[in-house]
Amino acid sequence: IVVPTSLVYNWGEEVRKFVPALVVLTVIGTKSERRMLMKRIPFADLVITSYPLLRRDKEDYESYSFRYCIIDEAQHIKNPVSQSAKAVKSVRAQRRFAMTGTPMENSLTELWSIFDFILPGYLLTHTKFMSTYEKPIVKEQDNDAVTNLANHIKPFILRRLKSDVLKELPEKIETRMIAELTDDQKKIYLAYLSKARGDIAAEINHSGYQRSQIKILAALTRLRQICCYPGIFLENYKGESGKLLLLDEVLQDALGGGHRVLLFSQFTSILKLIRERLEGNRIHTFYLDGNTEVLERSKLVRSFNEGEGDVFLISLKAGGTGLNLTGADTVIHYDPWWNPAVEDQASDRAYRIGQQKAVHV
């Protein structure tokens, strides 16, 4: 089983919970430690490792043949020329399974890469796939090509909808809240917007639209940050943020009603600011981002699910998948993500098997 680094211990714990009789071997540690562990592969039922470690140990796995190779969060091999994709596809196995909630984030090539793992050659070569499916579907809106591709992949996809398989789950209630910018925020936002428009227009005139996309994305990101809180990049900003003020209200209501909260943001600087604000108000918080050690993640998740802490602050990229946090019944996305599927996956950290309460997002 190949998983993201952050989920190695999570998988081990879930296996021990649901199938304790299986002999589990987790291949982690230094290179020499991993080589010693690999000697026990023939005696294990399940071997768990991560994508980065498999890349480094690719040659060591060549002498083993597995009955199954299962990859979790399969979007990690969405780029067919990446080292992760090459390493995973080199593992010898009789049968292959890919599990993911987001098989495509950007392009149809990502779907091809996953199928190239489970059924090499079934969706043609990458070049032929692009000319037969990707170009007609994306650029020409060819419905026949869509139907043809759907018919080809349907027999090999088991798509589980929560509504179909988890009849006992309580409801999930989603609410979109609009925050007014404060006067200080609005002045900064409009000033930056005016400057960004001028800079981008000049850049497009000079370099063309295609070569200006990074600059456009950077400007949009900065505008999003101003909406979150201008002080994360303006050192002398002493004003408030409409969004933070609204968050104070929402959290006060939620915690006052006995609810426990997961709070996601794509900006770690915002999460750290919110943590300071909450701790100043004596609200017990947990915090997780890409720098949190894997073992520490496991401890935080276990403690939170056992009832410790009121608010769990999580960076969207680091904790948006693979965590079971049914100890919370309220999820807050402080800043919406551009891909709704990624946002839904993050919300589902709380809305999953074991959740007893209605979940408010």
Side-chain angles (χ1 to χ4, degrees):
I1 297 172
V2 189
V3 305
T5 303
S6 57
L7 301 186
V8 169
Y9 289 106
N10 180 269
W11 260 87
E13 286 187 10
E14 295 294 310
V15 170
R16 278 187 284 277
K17 188 194 299 181
F18 290 104
V19 274
L22 292 184
V23 178
V24 181
L25 176 65
T26 307
V27 182
I28 51 172
T30 63
K31 184 71 177 179
S32 57
E33 287 169 342
R34 297 198 303 273
R35 282 197 167 144
M36 289 296 292
L37 287 167
M38 282 184 195
K39 291 178 182 175
R40 291 159 47 191
I41 285 178
F43 311 104
D45 296 311
L46 279 177
V47 179
I48 302 171
T49 192
S50 69
Y51 289 99
L53 292 179
L54 180 62
R55 289 201 303 264
R56 291 175 211 155
D57 300 338
K58 185 177 154 189
E59 287 75 20
D60 297 299
Y61 281 99
E62 285 174 359
S63 55
Y64 298 99
S65 182
F66 297 89
R67 187 176 297 166
Y68 299 98
C69 180
I70 301 168
I71 62 172
D72 190 20
E73 301 298 344
Q75 67 272 19
H76 276 69
I77 66 162
K78 64 186 181 183
N79 179 355
V81 299
S82 68
Q83 291 304 310
S84 289
K86 289 175 181 175
V88 162
K89 292 171 187 180
S90 72
V91 175
R92 290 195 295 154
Q94 294 170 29
R95 293 177 180 83
R96 293 172 167 186
F97 288 88
M99 303 196 299
T100 175
T102 45
M104 286 182 295
E105 290 182 339
N106 301 298
S107 74
L108 278 174
T109 286
E110 296 168 14
L111 181 69
W112 179 87
S113 187
I114 293 173
F115 263 85
D116 190 47
F117 163 70
I118 56 172
L119 286 169
Y122 178 69
L123 288 184
L124 314 171
T125 64
H126 186 213
T127 306
K128 283 190 175 176
F129 176 83
M130 288 181 73
S131 62
T132 308
Y133 297 112
E134 188 157 0
K135 185 171 174 283
I137 291 171
V138 176
K139 293 193 174 173
E140 298 160 15
Q141 309 291 304
D142 185 333
N143 288 328
D144 289 340
V146 172
T147 304
N148 191 8
L149 177 59
N151 288 339
H152 269 79
I153 65 176
K154 195 173 181 181
F156 303 100
I157 295 179
L158 174 63
R159 184 172 182 231
R160 292 172 15 118
L161 295 175
K162 278 205 167 85
S163 56
D164 295 336
V165 296
L166 296 179
K167 303 292 185 190
E168 74 278 14
L169 262 187
E171 64 179 330
K172 178 166 75 169
I173 302 152
E174 298 194 11
T175 309
R176 187 167 296 277
M177 306 185 89
I178 307 296
E180 277 289 321
L181 294 169
T182 64
D183 289 343
D184 290 337
Q185 255 185 311
K186 195 173 289 184
K187 286 171 190 169
I188 293 167
Y189 187 95
L190 293 173
Y192 187 83
L193 179 62
S194 176
K195 182 179 181 301
R197 277 184 172 149
D199 290 348
I200 288 168
E203 181 77 14
I204 291 172
N205 286 336
H206 180 263
S207 307
Y209 174 72
Q210 289 298 328
R211 292 186 179 179
S212 304
Q213 289 182 10
I214 296 295
K215 189 147 192 168
I216 295 167
L217 183 61
L220 290 171
T221 301
R222 184 64 85 207
L223 290 168
R224 288 162 70 80
Q225 289 174 325
I226 293 169
C227 290
C228 290
Y229 179 66
I232 61 176
F233 67 91
L234 287 177
E235 285 184 28
N236 301 319
Y237 184 75
K238 303 295 182 193
E240 266 293 356
S241 155
K243 216 181 242 199
L244 278 176
L245 293 170
L246 178 59
L247 177 66
D248 288 343
E249 280 181 42
V250 172
L251 284 177
Q252 194 175 353
D253 288 348
L255 300 178
H259 300 285
R260 300 176 73 228
V261 179
L262 305 184
L263 193 153
F264 290 97
S265 172
Q266 63 188 292
F267 303 115
T268 54
S269 50
I270 278 291
L271 289 175
K272 287 169 183 171
L273 176 79
I274 292 171
R275 179 168 62 172
E276 285 176 19
R277 201 173 173 106
L278 296 183
E279 288 176 350
N281 290 327
R282 297 187 178 178
I283 294 170
H284 186 184
T285 63
F286 285 176
Y287 178 91
L288 185 155
D289 67 18
N291 293 319
T292 307
E293 293 289 333
V294 177
L295 260 176
E296 181 65 12
R297 283 171 66 107
S298 264
K299 288 180 189 169
L300 291 172
V301 168
R302 196 180 308 116
S303 299
F304 188 80
N305 283 336
E306 287 171 359
E308 277 188 57
D310 302 308
V311 180
F312 204 142
L313 304 170
I314 305 175
S315 116
L316 192 64
K317 292 299 277 183
T321 56
L323 298 178
N324 299 323
L325 287 164
T326 50
D329 59 0
T330 302
V331 179
I332 297 172
H333 291 281
Y334 187 78
D335 36 276
W337 187 242
W338 61 268
N339 185 339
V342 173
E343 212 170 84
D344 287 344
Q345 270 201 316
S347 299
D348 288 349
R349 299 311 94 217
Y351 192 64
R352 58 200 303 111
I353 293 174
Q355 181 56 266
Q356 305 295 321
K357 301 176 182 175
V359 173
H360 292 259
V361 182

